[in-house]
Amino acid sequence: MTSPDAESILFSQAREWAAEDPDPVTSAALSDLIQLAANGAGAARQELADSFSGTLQFGTAGLRAALGPGPNRMNRVVVRRAAAGLAGFLGDAVRDASPGTRPRAVVGYDARHNSDIFAEETAAIFTAAGCETFLMPSALPTPLLAYAVRALDCDAGVMVTASHNPPQDNGYKVYLGRHAVEESGRGAQIVAPHDTGIAARIDAVGPLDSIALATDGWTVLDPSVADDYQRATAALADPARFPSRDLRIVLTPMHGVGGDTAVAVLNEAGFADVTLVAEQAEPDPEFPTVSFPNPEEPGALDLALEAAVRVDADIVLANDPDADRAAVAAKDPDTNAWRMLRGDEVGALLGAHIVARLAAGGEEKPDGVFANSVVSSRLLSRIAAAAGYAHEETLTGFKWISRVPGLLYGYEEALGYCVAPDLVRDKDGISAAVLIAELAAAAKAGGKTVFDTLDELYLQHGLHASDQLSIRVADLGLLDAMMNRLRVSPSESFGSSAVETFVDLAEGNGQLPPTDGLLYVTRDQTRVIIRPSGTEPKLKCYLEVIKSVESAAELPEARQAARAALDQVLGDVREALGL
């Protein structure tokens, strides 16, 4: 039960916030919430308490939370303070690296509620703080902002987006470049210690009325910045070596901002037969046709698959709302039914296709590295090794993958692919879509499907089958309890195969910096990784089994054996967690 003093402090904080909030909408909503809570409405009291339970913390993912009033929500007050702190950080960083140089920054935004307002106020604050500032001309995909950071030689980029989060959320993603970060991180999302440096400057920002906003002085970019990205991305296609463009595509931008850009790029790359899912073609911050605007979620691709059947498509491509991820669906010849490919399957297909593109050139093989996150499949490492390329595993997140020196291609299982690091040093669902279309058209020209291409990889490198278990919790303390349970009583086997390697990733493993997670590899090469999610109250478990196959005739039995093994491992993981 809340003490009278605590309640009095809460109401006082809320009233002060409402009085100084520059947004009349959130100010009025907060006043209504205060009144309801004061009149005894329990739900209003709980919402008020959560909105003022702390300050939204800035980290390597920037900011992301539900929209609403209070320091624990996304709103104009929180964004103004974040922009002022980031501007201060940039001033320090650029002054130290290049005295006398004016910081440069570019700001982009998606079509979510308040994204344009948050972006324009960020531009106004940067400008008032002395930054040369560019504002994107309209709501555009996240990869285009990441492209602009390097194309415009900026010290920072801000993307106002909550990616594939629910409609009520928004976020603030930060990239660094030029003088503000070392070369390997230019154009990439922030990592430590830059996050703590920015957070410290945000904490040091004075009263809200001390933050200056310029009334003009920033540059709204010409739409040609989008044209430049489209032209460069379309040019990734290689019609000389992979000439077929006979592919019927169904594309959905999932009510996000990627539709026009993706269609334009695919068309310019030679893929003219693209059908947009009409119900999801236009940006809509309410995401009305999906319960959760993430291609990975059950049901999210239903409309796209219906359209694919209707037009007799060869492939479905889906982007999440800010178009930095790409999903793929095709008709599985084993079942004659459409299904979405797993991120690891697409990751392997793209990796093999990039190897083929490099080999088809006839020039001397370029130096470079293939990379994926530690929780992604081990198949890419085998593809790279067979082609004579180095391979690296990184921590989860493209802020790590994109920093791998000499990166040629990187991916993570959560539908993120970086196929052109020189253009976009981040995951990019639009450039990935171009190469996915190219490899699918090449398979079709050879009388095959993408599933046949996958089978060829399995025959060469072993059938790699993966699955996941996600456990959502209401109390974050339960995550620590489950991880502690596993550390105190480590499992001795999974799927009837003894554990040969157990690594507590919190202690580091020689190749990776410390991170909260546990990695097990058994005698038959089954791998289990268990880690808390970095963005949601979830414990995530990643499973992979490998089955050797000598001929195509063995594949059906190998698939059944792999599925049975995964099911057994899932049961063992549940038991280990006490579920």
Side-chain angles (χ1 to χ4, degrees):
M1 187 172 178
T2 307
S3 70
D5 285 348
E7 186 155 298
S8 176
I9 291 169
L10 173 62
F11 284 139
S12 176
Q13 289 175 329
R15 290 188 183 102
E16 288 176 11
W17 186 284
E20 71 170 5
D21 192 338
D23 188 333
V25 175
T26 52
S27 178
L30 181 54
S31 295
D32 291 344
L33 194 64
I34 294 168
Q35 188 64 46
L36 287 168
N39 290 337
R45 174 65 179 75
Q46 186 174 353
E47 174 67 18
L48 192 65
D50 189 58
S51 298
F52 287 83
S53 62
T55 299
L56 196 59
Q57 294 300 301
F58 186 93
T60 57
L63 299 169
R64 194 176 293 186
L67 291 160
N72 200 32
R73 298 287 186 266
M74 283 294 295
N75 50 65
R76 287 166 66 179
V77 176
V78 166
V79 167
R80 285 186 183 188
R81 296 184 65 83
L86 178 55
F89 171 87
L90 291 176
D92 293 344
V94 174
R95 190 182 307 114
D96 291 344
S98 182
T101 301
R102 185 183 179 193
R104 304 181 76 184
V106 57
V107 184
Y109 56 98
D110 66 9
R112 284 177 178 265
H113 294 297
N114 277 9
S115 286
D116 54 347
I117 296 171
F118 293 164
E120 186 166 332
E121 292 203 345
T122 295
I125 290 166
F126 283 178
T127 301
C131 296
E132 182 182 6
T133 306
F134 305 96
L135 181 65
M136 284 294 187
S138 59
L140 289 165
T142 291
L144 216 156
L145 183 280
Y147 166 82
V149 172
R150 298 176 76 192
L152 299 174
D153 199 23
C154 288
D155 298 294
V158 170
M159 183 67 192
V160 182
T161 180
S163 189
H164 55 273
N165 274 39
Q168 64 268 25
D169 289 3
N170 213 328
Y172 203 78
K173 186 182 293 187
V174 175
Y175 297 77
L176 293 179
R178 201 173 65 154
H179 302 304
V181 72
E182 66 281 358
E183 197 284 330
S184 66
R186 289 174 189 160
Q189 294 180 54
I190 57 170
V191 295
H194 306 301
D195 58 334
T196 54
I198 296 169
R201 289 306 304 255
I202 294 171
D203 290 343
V205 171
L208 186 67
D209 60 10
S210 71
I211 301 172
L213 283 81
T215 55
D216 55 31
W218 60 90
T219 300
V220 177
L221 290 168
D222 188 272
S224 62
V225 68
D227 297 337
D228 293 344
Y229 167 84
Q230 290 172 16
R231 189 162 40 250
T233 305
L236 295 172
D238 191 351
R241 299 167 189 167
F242 299 92
S244 177
R245 293 295 179 265
D246 177 19
L247 193 72
R248 183 166 295 166
I249 300 168
V250 165
L251 172 71
T252 176
M254 205 73 67
H255 298 295
V257 294
D260 289 347
T261 303
V263 171
V265 168
L266 286 166
N267 288 169
E268 192 170 340
F271 297 98
D273 194 349
V274 181
T275 298
L276 267 177
V277 177
E279 301 92 331
Q280 299 173 332
E282 295 300 319
D284 188 331
E286 292 298 322
F287 307 103
T289 67
V290 290
S291 57
F292 204 103
N294 180 353
E296 289 183 293
E297 292 293 322
L301 290 187
D302 285 356
L303 287 173
L305 296 179
E306 289 172 13
V309 172
R310 187 168 60 249
V311 304
D312 193 25
D314 297 304
I315 198 165
V316 167
L317 299 175
N319 292 127
D320 66 340
D322 70 331
D324 64 351
R325 301 182 188 216
V328 182
K331 188 181 288 186
D332 189 334
D334 286 345
T335 62
N336 201 36
W338 283 83
R339 77 165 176 89
M340 188 177 125
L341 279 72
R342 300 185 70 90
D344 281 325
E345 292 174 320
V346 178
L349 285 168
L350 280 170
H353 184 61
I354 288 171
V355 166
R357 284 164 57 98
L358 294 170
E363 302 97 1
E364 184 177 345
K365 186 180 75 175
D367 291 330
V369 180
F370 286 65
N372 55 256
S373 62
V374 65
V375 298
S376 300
S377 173
R378 291 163 286 180
L379 179 53
L380 183 65
S381 66
R382 297 189 177 192
I383 292 168
Y389 289 101
H391 175 270
E392 288 191 22
E393 281 187 340
T394 74
L395 295 180
T396 303
F398 258 86
K399 56 184 176 283
W400 301 110
I401 295 169
S402 62
R403 278 177 161 77
V404 170
L407 183 68
L408 291 170
Y409 166 67
Y411 94 94
E412 62 181 3
E413 46 71 44
L415 309 185
Y417 314 99
C418 179
V419 301
D422 291 340
L423 284 182
V424 174
R425 197 167 281 183
D426 197 7
K427 57 184 178 291
D428 181 351
I430 296 174
S431 60
V434 172
L435 295 200
I436 292 164
E438 185 175 81
L439 71 87
K444 183 181 178 183
K448 299 182 294 187
T449 69
V450 292
F451 294 105
D452 295 322
T453 307
L454 268 175
D455 286 349
E456 292 169 358
L457 295 175
Y458 295 152
L459 288 171
Q460 185 177 358
H461 306 292
L463 189 153
H464 290 59
S466 58
D467 205 347
Q468 288 188 28
L469 173 65
S470 291
I471 301 142
R472 186 176 288 274
V473 298
D475 178 3
L476 289 175
L478 291 174
L479 296 180
D480 291 336
M482 285 190 282
M483 293 299 291
N484 288 337
R485 175 189 175 101
L486 294 172
R487 287 186 168 102
V488 171
S489 303
S491 298
E492 296 182 356
S493 67
F494 289 102
S496 302
S497 181
V499 171
E500 286 196 332
T501 302
F502 170 64
V503 179
D504 188 339
L505 297 175
E507 300 173 1
N509 69 347
Q511 290 78 44
L512 297 175
T515 185
D516 191 8
L518 303 171
L519 182 151
Y520 309 81
V521 180
T522 72
R523 189 169 298 155
D524 69 359
Q525 293 304 297
T526 294
R527 188 188 67 182
V528 176
I529 299 175
I530 302 174
R531 58 178 281 271
S533 170
T535 57
E536 298 178 273
K538 284 182 177 180
L539 190 72
K540 301 192 78 171
C541 310
Y542 305 83
L543 324 175
E544 184 177 48
V545 301
I546 303 174
K547 299 293 182 183
S548 296
V549 281
E550 301 296 331
S551 68
E554 296 178 15
L555 278 168
E557 184 177 345
R559 283 194 184 89
Q560 291 180 356
R563 183 64 259 172
L566 285 171
D567 289 341
Q568 187 176 358
V569 175
L570 278 168
D572 292 343
V573 170
R574 288 180 179 278
E575 183 178 347
L577 292 170
L579 300 177

